[in-house]
Amino acid sequence: MKMPKKIGVLVSGRGSNLQALIDAIKEKKINGEIAIVISNKADAFALKRAENNGIKTAVVDHRKYSTREDFEKDIIEHLEREKVELVCLAGFMRVLTPYFVSRYRNRIINIHPALLPSFPGVNAQKQAIDYGVKISGCTVHFVDEGTDTGPIILQKAVVVNDNDDEHSLAERILKEEHKAYAEAVSLFCDDKLEIEGRKVIIKKE
Ligand code: GRF
């Protein structure tokens, strides 16, 4: 068995995806350990979830920095101190600059609540409802310099019902997010993901 990978999770809010990772690690479904949870918001509930599980936390408040790079430098300092090998974005509401992305190239994973490349950016579930799609879902992907454009690791589909609004759809997608995120992080931690251009190949045994 390989050494568990050290994971840093960046959050801004509720942290249900963080919780899904914490639970999957406890259940030994992921060969990793969360070394630190970093929030740009001091009141993020995600921080409480980390504390409740004895995980180190840090607040790096973006409003205290005059440039994005300075903000990111402090985040990187925390990640390096903890020797983080994988950065997971879990409801982190700041766009990362090329500076950060190149520092952790192919080692940053994000979860997005739509089937990319449809509906990138904010309010993805509302975008899906407004467009009238019959199927939406979630996407776990590597992070590149664009917004929600990096190579796709996993997707899970969710049927959109006629009576759905953005909230009911978001709720059903979220359940799939929790499974998809844990699965994707597990594959990364087992060194089973290979990136070939835009494609992510999941290596078999
Ligand atoms: C999720 O819907 C995720 O896909 C998006 O932001 C939301 C975060 O939720 N990126 P939570 O903080 O993980 O509960």
Side-chain angles (χ1 to χ4, degrees):
M1 178 104 152
K2 287 186 185 147
M3 286 286 286
K5 288 226 188 334
K6 288 187 189 297
I7 303 169
V9 186
L10 306 191
V11 297
S12 299
R14 151 185 84 170
S16 71
N17 278 290
L18 165 68
Q19 190 68 55
L21 297 181
I22 292 172
D23 294 345
I25 289 170
K26 273 196 200 154
E27 291 162 22
K28 304 207 181 311
K29 290 181 182 159
I30 296 175
N31 185 24
E33 64 175 271
I34 301 178
I36 189 163
V37 171
I38 304 174
S39 176
N40 64 312
K41 297 211 162 165
D43 61 355
F45 186 64
L47 291 170
K48 292 266 178 311
R49 295 183 192 265
E51 284 158 16
N52 291 341
N53 287 278
I55 299 168
K56 187 179 280 185
T57 62
V59 175
V60 182
D61 184 344
H62 60 282
R63 294 170 305 183
K64 295 192 175 146
Y65 301 84
S66 52
T67 69
R68 280 169 185 270
E69 280 81 1
D70 285 342
F71 164 62
E72 291 176 351
K73 256 180 211 156
D74 274 5
I75 294 180
I76 290 171
E77 214 169 272
H78 282 290
L79 296 173
E80 286 186 343
R81 200 175 306 137
E82 302 304 325
K83 301 192 167 43
V84 161
E85 302 165 272
L86 169 67
V87 179
C88 289
L89 309 185
F92 182 63
M93 297 307 286
R94 311 299 299 170
V95 174
L96 295 170
T97 72
Y99 166 71
F100 190 101
V101 173
S102 64
R103 177 67 189 74
Y104 284 94
R105 167 93 42 215
N106 297 341
R107 293 190 295 142
I108 311 168
I109 296 181
N110 183 42
I111 174 93
H112 182 76
L115 293 177
L116 293 171
S118 291
F119 316 128
V122 293
N123 298 327
Q125 303 94 332
K126 182 174 186 314
Q127 291 185 55
I129 291 287
D130 290 349
Y131 198 93
V133 293
K134 303 292 188 192
I135 295 176
S136 191
C138 62
T139 305
V140 190
H141 63 94
F142 282 109
V143 172
D144 66 6
E145 281 77 2
T147 302
D148 302 323
T149 52
I152 291 171
I153 303 169
L154 286 180
Q155 296 187 298
K156 289 198 187 283
V158 169
V159 170
V160 182
N161 299 325
D162 290 346
N163 58 356
D164 264 329
D165 63 13
E166 61 189 281
H167 305 292
S168 59
L169 178 62
E171 207 174 293
R172 285 209 313 291
I173 292 176
L174 192 62
K175 292 204 177 92
E176 297 304 313
E177 289 185 37
H178 296 158
K179 292 181 215 157
Y181 213 3
E183 268 178 46
V185 171
S186 169
L187 289 167
F188 182 96
C189 288
D190 289 341
D191 295 318
K192 285 195 176 150
L193 300 179
E194 217 167 67
I195 304 178
E196 286 178 14
R198 277 215 53 82
K199 289 194 185 140
V200 178
I201 315 293
I202 298 176
K203 290 194 271 183
K204 304 279 178 255
E205 286 309 321

